[in-house]
Amino acid sequence: MAEDIIVEAKKCLKCKNASCRKACPVDTPINEIMQFVVDNKIHEAGEILFNNNPLSVICALICPHEIQCEGSCVLGKKGDAVKIGMVEHYISDFYLNFSEKNPAMKKNQKVAIIGSGPAGLTIAFYLTQKGYDITIFEAHDKIGGVLRYGIPEFRLPKSVLERLSKKLLLLGIKVRPNTMIGKTITLDQLFRDGYKAVFIGTGVWQPKTLNIKGESLSNVHFAIDYLKSPEVYSLGDRVCVIGAGNSAIDVARTAIRSGSSSVTIMYHKG
């Protein structure tokens, strides 16, 4: 195990009423995980993380730790907080190397999941653990949704998604890529073919417009569209990004990497 991971785990106070855990949107048992790392039980720690959040290997990379778990660490009030994201990613990445056998089918019930973004993937893992027969229908050629087509490689390596894809298949989850539900196949046809339930997780691909004059001009683009395939855009040397959320910052960094020499972010707050 990496020495710096052990150092961070030992630094953790293992608080009984852990503020870091309370600040986590998915209630990750951080205090318990750190103790497992100290005890050299990395596999057990990974299993707990995966069962709590099957996408922990992704969240460890893209979550705003500084305002959630790490930002709430009591050690951070007077010194350096525990690098929770780094430890979580190490454990989750390690755990992906281990593949459980396909769980016995306790229920003879098929469930269709439309969309393989964060919601669809999480539901697929959870329902498979409960014994359901899962098929994911994905409109694109690869899984991930916004994780693949909305977050740049430098922030979320696509190799992580490829490893998750392999884990899906090893768990017996079936994936139908390039399949548009509603056009090629209807919901009625899914139920006709024996699916007992359908989860719709098609994502939020519709751009959020400002409804102001000029949005239809040729040199104005929406962030969600640009991040899908930045290589097809010619933004020029000077770029202005309206907004300062994750997508806006991703666009700014991607534009610089794609050759723009000057990027300005405009934000309505101070």
Side-chain angles (χ1 to χ4, degrees), residues 52-121:
N52 179 73
N53 173 19
L55 302 186
S56 65
V57 68
I58 292 175
C59 292
L61 291 175
I62 65 175
C63 275
H65 307 292
E66 67 280 359
I67 62 173
Q68 292 178 349
C69 55
E70 291 182 17
S72 301
C73 176
V74 295
L75 290 176
K77 294 180 179 180
K78 293 185 178 181
D80 295 328
V82 177
K83 295 182 176 63
I84 298 171
M86 182 180 72
V87 177
E88 181 183 3
H89 183 259
Y90 180 90
I91 298 170
S92 301
D93 186 73
F94 176 89
Y95 187 71
L96 275 185
N97 294 325
F98 296 89
S99 303
E100 300 81 358
K101 294 181 180 179
N102 185 18
M105 292 299 176
K106 299 178 182 178
K107 303 176 178 65
N108 187 25
Q109 294 180 323
K110 296 198 298 181
V111 175
I113 295 177
I114 303 174
S116 66
L121 292 176

Side-chain angles (χ1 to χ4, degrees), residues 110-167:
K110 296 198 298 181
V111 175
I113 295 177
I114 303 174
S116 66
L121 292 176
T122 301
I123 288 292
F125 281 122
Y126 279 147
L127 292 184
T128 297
Q129 291 174 329
K130 294 180 180 295
Y132 290 96
D133 184 3
I134 305 298
T135 299
I136 296 176
F137 295 86
E138 171 55 49
H140 293 91
D141 59 338
K142 293 184 178 181
I143 69 159
V146 70
L147 299 175
R148 181 180 294 277
Y149 299 104
I151 301 178
E153 172 76 17
F154 57 79
R155 204 153 71 87
L156 177 59
K158 301 301 183 288
S159 59
V160 176
L161 295 173
E162 297 305 328
R163 295 174 66 196
L164 273 177
S165 180
K166 291 181 180 179
K167 196 168 188 70

Side-chain angles (χ1 to χ4, degrees), residues 240-255:
C240 177
V241 180
I242 300 176
N246 285 335
S247 294
I249 302 302
D250 285 345
V251 165
R253 296 174 67 186
T254 300

